[in-house]
Amino acid sequence: MAQALGEDLVQPCELQDDSSSLGSDSELSGPGPYRQADRYGFIGGSSAEPGPGHPPADLIRQREMKWVEMTSHWEKTMSRRYKKVKMQCRKGIPSALRARCWPLLCGAHVCQKNSPGTYQELAEAPGDPQWMETIGRDLHRQFPLHEMFVSPQGHGQQGLLQVLKAYTLYRPEQGYCQAQGPVAAVLLMHLPPEEAFWCLVQICEVYLPGYYGPHMEAVQLDAEVFTALLRRLLPRVHKHLQQVGVGPLLYLPEWFLCLFARSLPFPTVLRVWDAFLSEGVKVLFRVGLTLVRLALGTTEQRLACPGLLETLGALRTISPAQLQEEVFMSQVHSVALSEHDLQRQIRAQLAQLPESASGPPPRPQARLPGAQAIFEAQQLAGARGSTRPEVPRIVVQPPEEPRPPRRKPQTRGKTFHGLLTRSRGPPIEGPPRSHRGSTSFLDTRF
């Protein structure tokens, strides 16, 4: 495994080009009628057979059995064995079980259970004409070489239209963002429309709040955070990007908003999503840093990019051999970026934002860091009888002031008779009682 963000690049064996799995506006609107689809549904793709480094069939069956066992007792698994879930997500969820695992990881199954019939009502309701026209123009651009989205009247494009329309009705204040198209399309490749809708809701509101609204305030904040991480982890690359005038907003929004669905080979996209739904936005930063290092990590690569256009081209044309899923994801998980480091950078950049910035301020505290935090928030909301997940808060009580130690009364040298003579209180009324020995010892007669 390569060192985290080092200068040397891992040189895996040559693979066939998987670029046909990428959806882009420049691709044709429809493929030839007799071309064969690969194992992911892309017509004419080169992923018909697993590439080098792909786990053998026996290992895949073992992982499938582990996921079946974990998902059969999901609450117990998330409460006691989340580390195992995270490690299995890093290894990759088996293709046959992604439809079962993704809604569990992101908490969409709880949202769907708490809101029965909501999606049906939204799907049957008429949409806003403004958003419907915009969505309709973008449908053919989402993975045009995938067999689900070839025909305008097919179930893929029609399902995508219903899911995106339902979200504009569910959150009318946010409306529709073009980057939601490829995200919803990937979900529809694996899930029914209703489950895909609730997964989209969780991604937009829990994983990436503030990304798909009209102001995209969280994207701007994360761009500054990414620049700070580049400065700390890849100082030479950061200096080169500054010299040629390539800011993070020129390449980062397409990566983060689309969850790399348009930037990586599709098998690698699925592995990124497995880790992202488990560990949260930290995975996106790790993937972005890895891509920048692969494109500009060596001196020769930087010398070959003397200007802005050459640098942007290098970021967009990384060799598919370097993006092969097993090799690439091993480098992603080796990036020296923890959740604590990311939150510290977010707080630092949030404090530096100008107060006169237009639009609402970003709210990074509304973003939950992965499946475990979402599960705990939903468990807490369920215990309170609420259907809306809340961020659990830890209340630390201040320590009590130490009490002085109890002192033992000083009775040394004091007799019981002395204590009686010093006792306070009103005299006892009534006839005097005769006590033996009340007279003086010298007056006693024998």
Side-chain angles (χ1 to χ4, degrees):
M1 183 180 295
Q3 295 295 329
L5 298 178
E7 293 290 334
D8 296 331
L9 299 179
V10 176
Q11 299 293 341
C13 55
E14 293 297 329
L15 302 178
Q16 295 181 348
D17 189 1
D18 279 337
S19 59
S20 61
S21 296
L22 306 181
S24 64
D25 296 343
S26 61
E27 291 175 335
L28 300 177
S29 59
Y34 300 109
R35 300 177 68 182
Q36 184 180 3
D38 64 4
R39 59 194 175 106
Y40 296 107
F42 289 93
I43 301 175
S46 57
S47 297
E49 297 296 336
H54 193 271
D58 293 340
L59 181 57
I60 294 178
R61 296 297 177 267
Q62 294 179 7
R63 292 177 179 176
E64 288 177 350
M65 295 304 298
K66 290 181 180 179
W67 275 106
V68 168
E69 190 273 333
M70 290 189 300
T71 55
S72 300
H73 310 86
W74 185 248
E75 293 188 1
K76 179 180 178 181
T77 301
M78 290 297 295
S79 301
R80 304 180 184 180
R81 303 166 64 189
Y82 172 69
K83 289 185 178 180
K84 182 178 180 180
V85 174
K86 182 176 72 173
M87 295 308 299
Q88 292 298 322
C89 287
R90 288 190 174 189
K91 295 177 182 178
I93 301 175
S95 299
L97 293 175
R98 282 196 173 97
R100 182 173 183 174
C101 298
W102 280 3
L104 292 174
L105 287 170
C106 68
H109 68 296
V110 176
C111 298
Q112 183 177 352
K113 179 181 177 181
N114 293 335
S115 303
T118 299
Y119 174 75
Q120 285 75 11
E121 296 177 2
L122 297 174
E124 295 173 0
D128 189 333
Q130 175 187 358
W131 295 127
M132 294 299 293
E133 181 182 358
T134 306
I135 295 172
R137 290 198 304 263
D138 292 340
L139 290 178
H140 72 280
R141 302 175 182 175
Q142 314 305 334
F143 301 101
L145 297 183
H146 194 279
E147 58 185 1
M148 278 187 62
F149 305 102
V150 170
S151 173
Q153 303 302 325
H155 69 282
Q157 289 197 26
Q158 293 302 312
L160 184 60
L161 175 65
Q162 294 299 323
V163 169
L164 295 176
K165 180 197 74 173
Y167 188 81
T168 60
L169 296 175
Y170 186 72
R171 288 289 182 262
E173 68 280 3
Q174 295 188 13
Y176 165 70
C177 176
Q178 277 188 327
Q180 292 174 324
V183 174
V186 174
L187 293 171
L188 283 172
M189 293 178 193
H190 298 83
L191 301 167
E194 184 173 4
E195 294 184 10
F197 167 76
W198 288 114
C199 287
L200 179 65
V201 169
Q202 289 295 93
I203 291 174
C204 296
E205 299 185 0
V206 180
Y207 285 88
L208 301 174
Y211 262 54
Y212 303 98
H215 301 282
M216 295 185 178
E217 61 276 3
V219 178
Q220 302 178 24
L221 174 62
D222 284 350
E224 298 299 328
V225 174
F226 190 81
T227 302
L229 293 174
L230 277 177
R231 187 185 304 113
R232 179 170 68 90
L233 298 174
L234 291 170
R236 297 179 183 178
V237 177
H238 174 261
K239 182 179 179 181
H240 173 79
L241 293 175
Q242 280 190 323
Q243 290 175 348
V244 299
V246 175
L249 292 177
L250 294 179
Y251 57 91
L252 199 68
E254 182 180 3
W255 289 354
F256 280 26
L257 284 167
C258 299
L259 304 182
F260 298 94
R262 292 191 170 198
S263 308
L264 296 173
F266 196 72
T268 310
V269 170
L270 297 179
R271 291 289 300 275
V272 171
W273 280 46
D274 293 341
F276 166 71
L277 294 177
S278 172
E279 302 179 51
V281 74
K282 171 183 64 177
V283 175
L284 303 186
F285 283 92
R286 287 179 171 178
V287 174
L289 291 169
T290 304
L291 287 176
V292 173
R293 182 180 65 83
L294 291 176
L296 302 168
T298 64
T299 303
E300 292 78 8
Q301 290 173 321
R302 293 190 293 271
L303 291 176
C305 302
L308 183 144
L309 295 179
E310 294 84 356
T311 302
L312 289 177
L315 291 173
R316 294 171 179 171
T317 57
I318 301 174
S319 171
Q322 296 176 333
L323 301 179
Q324 192 270 337
E325 50 182 313
E326 295 295 336
V327 175
F328 182 76
M329 293 308 297
S330 65
Q331 298 181 54
V332 168
H333 296 311
S334 66
V335 175
L337 177 64
S338 65
E339 184 66 31
H340 176 74
D341 296 336
L342 179 60
Q343 295 301 323
R344 181 176 58 187
Q345 289 292 345
I346 290 176
R347 290 191 296 268
Q349 298 303 319
L350 190 62
Q352 298 178 10
L353 288 180
E355 298 181 357
S356 59
S358 60
R363 298 185 303 111
Q365 66 274 9
R367 181 163 60 192
L368 297 185
Q372 186 178 28
I374 294 174
F375 173 78
E376 293 175 353
Q378 290 181 337
Q379 290 290 310
L380 180 60
R384 294 178 177 178
S386 172
T387 60
R388 182 179 179 182
E390 299 180 1
V391 181
R393 298 180 179 179
I394 301 177
V395 180
V396 180
Q397 298 291 345
E400 298 181 357
E401 297 182 359
R403 297 180 180 179
R406 184 177 181 182
R407 299 181 61 183
K408 186 178 180 180
Q410 297 292 337
T411 58
R412 185 175 181 181
K414 299 178 181 179
T415 61
F416 183 71
H417 175 73
L419 293 175
L420 287 178
T421 57
R422 287 195 300 269
S423 62
R424 299 179 181 179
I428 301 176
E429 299 180 357
R433 298 173 59 185
S434 60
H435 298 278
R436 181 179 179 182
S438 59
T439 58
S440 174
F441 175 76
L442 296 177
D443 295 338
T444 302
R445 299 181 181 182
F446 297 94

